[in-house]
Amino acid sequence: EEGWGEESGGSIFEEVTSLINFRKTKGNEEGIEVSKLFDPIPSNEEIKALSTEILADRNIRGNLLGEKGRHSVIVMRTVFMRGLDDHRSGNAILAEIRKIVDKHKKPGFDLKIGGMPTFGSTINSIIIEDVRTMVFLALSISLATLIFIFRNFLAVIGPVFVVLQSAVCTLGLMAMLGIPVTMVSNIIPSFLFCVGLGDSIHFLSIYRDGMKNDLSTRD
């Protein structure tokens, strides 16, 4: 058509299906007739008049429309995304959809986002938040334990440095090798804190016992 290609921007959505653009197909004497369900967009009074006909259509009821007509869905399919940036792209898309959803929520008109991409993105966000929380708690408890046991600045800083270095190196290596953080592997930082702290306490205890028995620092 004239002017094709002059549009600005674009869309990452390949297909959006809802009651607005649902294709209504019915047979007639000449074959089949395909039209939009709402073409033109009806008024509220016209929609009420069409409700019986719409609910009787099994292609709509149970698919885009609930069995009792109390809720409907909008199905959005994005272009295929593949690679290391998928997680960030998915989160960015979900964030924009949430902005639109929040803008149109009204009393008595609730909107929710669902689907596997939403589920996966939400789980990833929860995992990242859990990792941050667990690392903070593990570090806080480790510091409190070391201060209580040794009451010495170097004896506190040394073990903390060991476990922090271990956690950073492990997560950094996972990132370099493309190993994702999952619901199982998100325990790794906290696990390293426990193991590294325990070994450090044993090492320091043996050292201090040796010093009490008149051994030199080198010995």
Side-chain angles (χ1 to χ4, degrees):
E1 296 178 3
E2 185 179 350
W4 184 88
E6 297 176 1
E7 297 86 352
S8 61
S11 175
I12 57 159
F13 291 100
E14 286 188 336
E15 183 180 12
V16 178
T17 305
S18 69
L19 290 175
I20 299 298
N21 65 351
F22 179 79
R23 291 194 305 173
K24 184 178 179 182
T25 305
K26 62 180 181 180
N28 55 30
E29 295 179 355
E30 298 179 359
I32 60 172
E33 178 184 345
V34 180
S35 61
K36 288 185 178 180
L37 181 63
F38 294 150
D39 189 17
I41 301 296
S43 63
N44 289 339
E45 289 73 20
E46 289 172 326
I47 287 179
K48 291 178 181 178
L50 289 169
S51 61
T52 303
E53 178 185 346
I54 293 172
L55 285 171
D57 191 332
R58 292 303 303 175
N59 291 321
I60 303 175
R61 184 163 62 93
N63 291 315
L64 289 178
L65 195 65
E67 290 289 337
K68 296 182 180 180
R70 297 182 62 182
H71 65 272
S72 66
V73 297
I74 300 174
V75 183
M76 298 177 289
R77 181 162 58 88
T78 64
V79 296
F80 180 71
M81 291 178 286
R82 185 175 183 179
L84 295 177
D85 291 335
D86 276 7
H87 172 61
R88 281 177 289 180
S89 300
N91 283 345
I93 295 167
L94 190 59
E96 293 301 320
I97 293 175
R98 281 189 173 130
K99 288 180 185 177
I100 297 171
V101 165
D102 291 340
K103 185 171 69 174
H104 292 283
K105 279 185 177 180
K106 304 291 182 195
F109 185 68
D110 193 19
L111 297 172
K112 297 188 182 299
I113 308 171
M116 287 306 296
T118 304
F119 177 77
S121 180
T122 304
I123 288 293
N124 286 334
S125 300
I126 292 172
I127 288 173
I128 292 171
E129 188 61 34
D130 283 351
V131 169
R132 291 173 181 164
T133 303
M134 293 301 293
V135 168
F136 173 77
L137 289 175
L139 183 59
S140 301
I141 295 171
S142 299
L143 284 171
T145 303
L146 291 169
I147 292 170
F148 176 76
I149 294 175
F150 295 113
R151 295 180 175 84
N152 180 277
F153 178 76
L154 291 177
V156 172
I157 294 300
V160 170
F161 176 75
V162 170
V163 294
L164 278 176
Q165 182 178 241
S166 301
V168 169
C169 288
T170 302
L171 293 175
L173 186 61
M174 289 174 64
M176 288 175 62
L177 298 177
I179 300 173
V181 177
T182 65
M183 295 183 68
V184 177
S185 63
N186 74 336
I187 197 68
I188 287 177
S190 303
F191 178 75
L192 289 173
F193 267 68
C194 297
V195 175
L197 186 67
D199 285 346
S200 299
I201 289 175
H202 292 158
F203 183 84
L204 286 169
S205 297
I206 293 170
Y207 173 79
R208 291 179 64 154
D209 289 342
M211 293 293 288
K212 287 179 181 179
N213 292 328
D214 297 328
L215 291 175
S216 66
T217 298
R218 183 178 181 84
D219 292 333

